[in-house]
Amino acid sequence: MKHLAATIALGPFFFLQGHYVRHVTPVLPEPPGARDGTHGHGPPLRLLIVGDSAAAGVGAASQDEGLCGQLVASLAPHFRVSWKLIAKTGATTNDTLRLLGSAAPESYDVVVSSLGVNDLTSGYPRCAWLRQQADLIRLLQGKFDARLMLLSGLPPMHLFPALPQPLRWYMGEGARHFNRGLHRLVLANDNCHVFSVEVSRRMDELQAESFATDGFHPGPVFYTAWAEHLAEQIVKRWRADAL
């Protein structure tokens, strides 16, 4: 309710702040490195990572330091991981649906997604975004035979250094609003879980070191914590499913 009231009362001001942020924030490239491969030892695990610039590792110097590389490294002691990354800077959920729709069908044991920030910042309604998330889940289960899906919730945007106040607060409330809907969406799906990217350590203690130089994307420290927590969930849930 507070978020809606703020939208009505301060919408033009938020628009101006958003325009300013886009103008002054440096554009970081997607890091170089492999986007598919096989690594590790143990039982086979087929892993797909999909999504936006965070999934693509923006803010890291290489894919090895980004989400994908660090997640594979964290899983490698437990599994022989065959992995693929399908991610693009600026991608919305609808963009990702189109990318996956044109991709060749493959089977994956685990799918990790990172989506929602671009939908939120572009003013996309939550109800429409949730319908597209439901479409994404059906596509992953159907075309890609996904057996376990971990949907990364929107990050703690109320802590993004690049966002001035009160836009930072407003985006943070919007992210929480999207995440609450995403949690409700997956309640009836035992193979699909929402994973919070707010890592266990207090984000205010990590803030200076966890974000990239643009103040908007994760840095290697954030990616490390995010990947380690995802790996813990995958090891626990995948082994439980296999029993």
Side-chain angles (χ1 to χ4, degrees):
M1 190 63 98
K2 288 181 180 179
H3 192 260
L4 177 60
T7 302
I8 296 171
L10 297 172
F13 181 67
F14 291 141
F15 175 81
L16 291 174
Q17 280 198 316
H19 180 76
Y20 171 78
V21 169
R22 284 190 292 271
H23 180 71
V24 301
T25 302
V27 178
L28 301 181
E30 294 182 7
R35 295 201 171 208
D36 60 73
T38 302
H39 183 56
H41 304 279
L45 182 75
R46 299 164 299 178
L47 172 68
L48 174 65
I49 300 170
V50 302
D52 52 22
S53 55
V58 171
S62 68
Q63 287 295 338
D64 288 343
E65 292 185 353
L67 176 64
C68 183
Q70 298 212 47
L71 177 56
V72 171
S74 295
L75 290 171
H78 308 278
F79 306 100
R80 183 161 177 80
V81 185
S82 298
W83 54 275
K84 178 176 285 189
L85 171 64
I86 301 177
K88 185 176 180 181
T89 296
T92 63
T93 302
N94 195 44
D95 293 332
T96 302
L97 282 168
R98 288 198 296 268
L99 277 174
L100 294 176
S102 62
E106 293 186 62
S107 294
Y108 292 98
D109 300 311
V110 179
V111 179
V112 172
S113 73
S114 169
L115 288 164
V117 169
N118 295 312
D119 301 85
L120 176 63
T121 57
S122 63
Y124 210 64
R126 186 183 75 160
C127 57
W129 178 70
L130 290 173
R131 285 195 296 269
Q132 291 180 350
Q133 286 286 316
D135 291 341
L136 177 65
I137 292 169
R138 285 191 290 269
L139 178 64
L140 292 172
Q141 289 179 319
K143 183 175 181 178
F144 297 98
D145 195 29
R147 298 175 61 187
L148 173 64
M149 290 168 288
L150 295 177
L151 313 181
S152 297
L154 275 71
M157 298 185 71
H158 63 287
L159 295 175
F160 280 19
L163 301 178
Q165 295 289 14
L167 182 63
R168 187 187 303 182
W169 166 84
Y170 180 73
M171 288 289 106
E173 289 298 303
R176 293 186 180 105
H177 184 56
F178 271 44
N179 285 341
R180 286 192 293 268
L182 192 60
H183 277 280
R184 287 195 291 269
L185 177 68
V186 306
L187 281 176
N189 193 326
D190 293 336
N191 298 325
C192 190
H193 307 275
V194 178
F195 181 84
S196 174
V197 301
E198 294 196 45
V199 295
S200 62
R201 284 189 289 172
R202 286 170 54 86
M203 284 302 300
D204 55 353
E205 295 173 359
L206 279 173
Q207 187 170 358
E209 60 183 275
S210 62
F211 290 95
T213 55
D214 65 354
F216 194 87
H217 287 93
V221 171
F222 197 128
Y223 280 128
T224 298
W226 187 3
E228 287 176 351
H229 283 241
L230 277 170
E232 288 173 7
Q233 293 297 310
I234 292 170
V235 170
K236 178 175 69 176
R237 295 181 187 278
W238 187 247
R239 286 182 171 172
D241 288 348
L243 294 177

